[in-house]
Amino acid sequence: MATSEENGKKEGTNLLGSPTFTELGNGRFKCVETGHEVLSKDIPSYSHSKKCRLGLIDFALSKHKPPLNMFKQDPLCRSKLICKLTGDNVNKSEEHIWKHMSGKRFLNKLEREEEEKLSSQGMEVEEGLQESKSTDDGRKDRKKKKKNKNKEIDEENLKESKSAEDGGEKDRMKKKKNKDKAIAESISEVRKSSDEDSDAEEEDFWMPPVGKRWDHDDGGDRWGSESESEQETEDQNVIDGAAGENCKESEELSSRYFASV
């Protein structure tokens, strides 16, 4: 009885709490952590036994339950644990585990570990902020570059369209000029050919030589003297008289012929 009271007064006693049991029937229960079966009346005494407390420590080690997640089993000794933080060996008992965890060496090491962790997290956060900032700056730069590039493309397209319009206008003016020139050349050629044809016609027209005529007219006096015209009149009268006599003779012969018939 005195022993149980002393155990209750020890620091670190019941560090892992009470075990859990499942009812099997017929007044029997099974410990979940150790697998040991006991009667209902033996549960309190078994819960404070060394076997049960060691079973609780082994179960917490296997499941990495706090505070045993800071320890691991010593491979050289079954009754020893190794602290992961300080590397010290600790007896496998709740009292020694509690004393080690409440000691200055463990607490100082734990504080430094937490500071380093916080600083690393702060650095990570700061790096993350810097990365996000640089990412934002990069996005801004990309947007700015894209905007400038689009602006340059628009300016180039505007210049090309303007140059194309100027070139098209120049081509149209040039074509119109060439067309007018061709029309002028055609008109000039037509006029030239017409002048050549008129010249050829004038050259083909026959002109008599100077001083000679086809009717042998020497250009003298075209009208005879009065005596010559009287002579010609007399000659014409003689001719006309002779023709009249011949006509009378013909009529007389004709009448005689028809009379005889």
Side-chain angles (χ1 to χ4, degrees):
M1 190 68 180
T3 304
S4 62
E5 290 178 357
E6 290 177 359
N7 290 335
K9 293 179 180 180
K10 287 181 180 180
E11 294 180 350
T13 302
N14 204 24
L15 177 65
L16 300 179
S18 301
T20 55
F21 294 90
T22 58
E23 187 176 359
L24 299 177
N26 298 325
R28 298 183 67 82
F29 292 85
K30 182 178 181 179
C31 179
V32 175
E33 287 79 13
T34 62
H36 187 72
E37 295 181 6
V38 294
L39 296 174
S40 59
K41 64 182 181 69
D42 295 331
I43 289 176
S45 60
Y46 176 77
S47 297
H48 293 92
S49 66
K50 185 177 181 180
K51 185 177 182 181
C52 179
R53 305 320 295 181
L54 289 175
L56 292 176
I57 293 172
D58 290 335
F59 182 81
L61 283 173
S62 63
K63 299 297 181 181
H64 302 285
K65 295 178 66 176
L68 272 300
N69 58 341
M70 301 295 295
F71 298 87
K72 63 181 181 179
Q73 179 65 48
D74 187 354
L76 300 178
C77 183
R78 180 67 183 168
S79 61
K80 296 281 185 182
L81 298 177
I82 299 175
C83 179
K84 295 179 182 179
L85 188 61
T86 61
D88 295 336
N89 290 332
V90 181
N91 291 329
K92 187 185 288 186
S93 67
E94 293 174 285
E95 294 85 357
H96 288 126
I97 292 171
W98 185 86
K99 286 181 181 180
H100 177 75
M101 293 180 66
S102 60
K104 290 183 179 181
R105 177 179 171 83
F106 181 86
L107 294 175
N108 291 333
K109 190 74 173 177
L110 182 63
E111 185 177 0
R112 287 195 298 268
E113 188 77 14
E114 289 178 352
E115 288 178 355
E116 291 177 359
K117 187 176 181 180
L118 291 173
S119 63
S120 64
Q121 288 178 355
M123 291 177 65
E124 289 177 357
V125 171
E126 187 176 358
E127 289 177 356
L129 292 174
Q130 290 179 356
E131 289 179 357
S132 62
K133 185 178 180 180
S134 62
T135 303
D136 294 337
D137 294 337
R139 289 178 181 175
K140 290 180 180 179
D141 293 336
R142 287 194 294 272
K143 288 181 179 179
K144 188 175 181 181
K145 289 180 181 179
K146 186 177 181 180
K147 186 176 180 181
N148 293 331
K149 187 175 181 181
N150 293 332
K151 186 176 180 181
E152 292 176 357
I153 292 171
D154 293 337
E155 290 178 355
E156 290 179 358
N157 292 332
L158 183 62
K159 289 180 181 179
E160 289 178 357
S161 61
K162 187 175 180 181
S163 61
E165 289 178 359
D166 294 339
E169 186 67 23
K170 288 180 180 179
D171 291 338
R172 287 193 292 272
M173 292 294 291
K174 189 175 181 181
K175 289 180 180 180
K176 185 177 180 182
K177 188 175 180 181
N178 293 332
K179 186 176 181 181
D180 294 340
K181 186 177 179 181
I183 292 170
E185 289 177 355
S186 300
I187 293 171
S188 177
E189 290 178 358
V190 170
R191 289 179 179 175
K192 185 176 179 181
S193 62
S194 177
D195 293 339
E196 290 178 356
D197 293 339
S198 62
D199 292 340
E201 288 178 358
E202 289 178 359
E203 290 178 359
D204 292 339
F205 183 74
W206 181 82
M207 292 292 291
V210 178
K212 294 182 179 181
R213 290 179 59 88
W214 61 276
D215 54 355
H216 303 289
D217 187 2
D218 57 357
D221 189 3
R222 295 173 183 264
W223 305 98
S225 62
E226 184 178 354
S227 58
E228 290 178 354
S229 47
E230 290 178 353
Q231 182 64 38
E232 289 178 355
T233 302
E234 290 178 357
D235 293 339
Q236 186 67 31
N237 291 330
V238 171
I239 293 169
D240 292 338
E245 291 178 357
N246 291 330
C247 183
K248 289 179 178 181
E249 289 179 358
S250 297
E251 290 178 354
E252 290 178 356
L253 290 174
S254 298
S255 60
R256 288 175 180 175
Y257 176 76
F258 286 109
S260 63
V261 174

